[in-house]
DNA sequence: CAATATACCTGGATGC
DNA sequence: TGCATCCAGGTATATT
């Protein structure tokens, strides 16, 4: 499900309920997500610990625990984190529950089970985080996300700019919905080989990325205040989308019908007037 | 090495 | 109503 904005809204929504709380008990469904639930590590290094801070890197949430351990959660395609009174009955596909001293419970619900849960024990957490972070792409809100760096990264890469934006090893947090929206806003055709883009194109892509991701987070912000019981479904589609899933509807700028195609196996939407080849 | 295909899952929409 | 088929916001791995 979630791309950078949804993960960020989840983080902001969870933060006031979790930070400073002790995780009293942990329960899991017994089903494996993308990887098996790390039961032993959860028992040893998460249960009984106080959650100090929740951070985000790419589409991963990092729960930093007192003592230096880290609980890592990825939401995959359908994962949602919500917070509920502990006595609320379990929902189908609830796979991980963290009971807090406050009497509330953080629940990870993931029907497709493409999500992932990992634990970095205090002894190795620093090293594991450095390795992890090195594998992930540039954060769109960081200074390094610049037309100069993108031009450099695109050297010798002939793949479509849309696949380039969605490659998490290059750029963090941009998935299919926002790749479509960003390229539309930047007026760049999604099939353009990354290596052929000019600095001015990358400039518009940088600006459009920050603008659209910021607006998406702001749109999800309305859910943050009443995150409790929300089943953590933070405002997907709350942002007004221009092209994603809009095949046949008029382009907001020029009214030409939005086209649908497939790039890299993913649904692609564009306006051929505003994003000429 | 770069680029593409495939596998992992469930559920909703669509068509017969 | 039932059943088959296709499609979905992600990512690791295998294959070209």
């Amino acid at each position: 499900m979630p791309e950078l904005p949804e993960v960020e809204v989840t983080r902001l929504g969870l933060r006031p309920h979790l930070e400073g709380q002790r995780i009293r008990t942990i329960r899991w469904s017994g089903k494996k997500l993308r990887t098996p639930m790390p039961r032993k590590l959860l028992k040893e290094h998460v249960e009984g610990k106080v959650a100090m801070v929740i951070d985000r890197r790419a589409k991963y949430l990092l729960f930093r625990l007192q003592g230096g351990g880290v609980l890592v959660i990825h939401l995959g395609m359908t994962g949602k984190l919500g917070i509920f009174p502990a006595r609320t009955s379990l929902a189908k596909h609830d796979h991980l529950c963290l009971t807090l001293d406050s009497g509330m419970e953080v629940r990870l619900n993931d029907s497709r089970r493409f999500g992932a849960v990992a634990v970095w024990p205090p002894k190795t957490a620093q090293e594991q985080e450095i390795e992890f972070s090195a594998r992930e792409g540039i954060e769109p809100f960081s200074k390094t996300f610049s037309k100069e760096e993108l031009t450099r990264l695109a050297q010798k890469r002939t793949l479509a700019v849309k696949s380039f934006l969605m490659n998490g090893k290059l750029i963090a947090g941009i998935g299919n919905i926002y790749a479509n929206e960003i390229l539309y806003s930047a007026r760049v055709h999604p099939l353009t080989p990354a290596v052929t883009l000019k600095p001015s194109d990358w400039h518009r892509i940088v600006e459009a990325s920050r603008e659209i991701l910021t607006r998406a987070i702001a749109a999800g912000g309305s859910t943050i205040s009443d995150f409790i019981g929300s089943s953590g479904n933070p405002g997907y589609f709350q942002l007004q989308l221009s092209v994603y899933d809009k095949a046949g509807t008029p382009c907001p700028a020029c009214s030409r019908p939005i086209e649908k195609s497939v790039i890299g196996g993913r649904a692609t939407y564009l306006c051929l007037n505003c994003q000429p080849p």
Side-chain angles (χ1 to χ4, degrees), chain A residues 27 83-91 94 103-105 107 228-229:
Chain A
R27 293 175 298 150
I83 184 150
F84 306 85
R87 52 177 310 122
T88 312
S89 53
L90 283 182
D94 278 344
M104 301 297 281
E105 193 162 88
R107 293 180 181 174
I228 295 177

Side-chain angles (χ1 to χ4, degrees), chain A residues 102-130:
Chain A
S102 62
M104 301 297 281
E105 193 162 88
V106 176
R107 293 180 181 174
L108 172 63
N109 183 283
D110 185 2
S111 59
R112 278 177 86 178
R113 290 192 271 130
F114 286 177
V117 175
V119 176
W120 299 335
K123 270 193 158 178
T124 55
Q126 272 205 325
E127 183 189 353
Q128 284 182 280
E129 180 163 355
I130 288 167

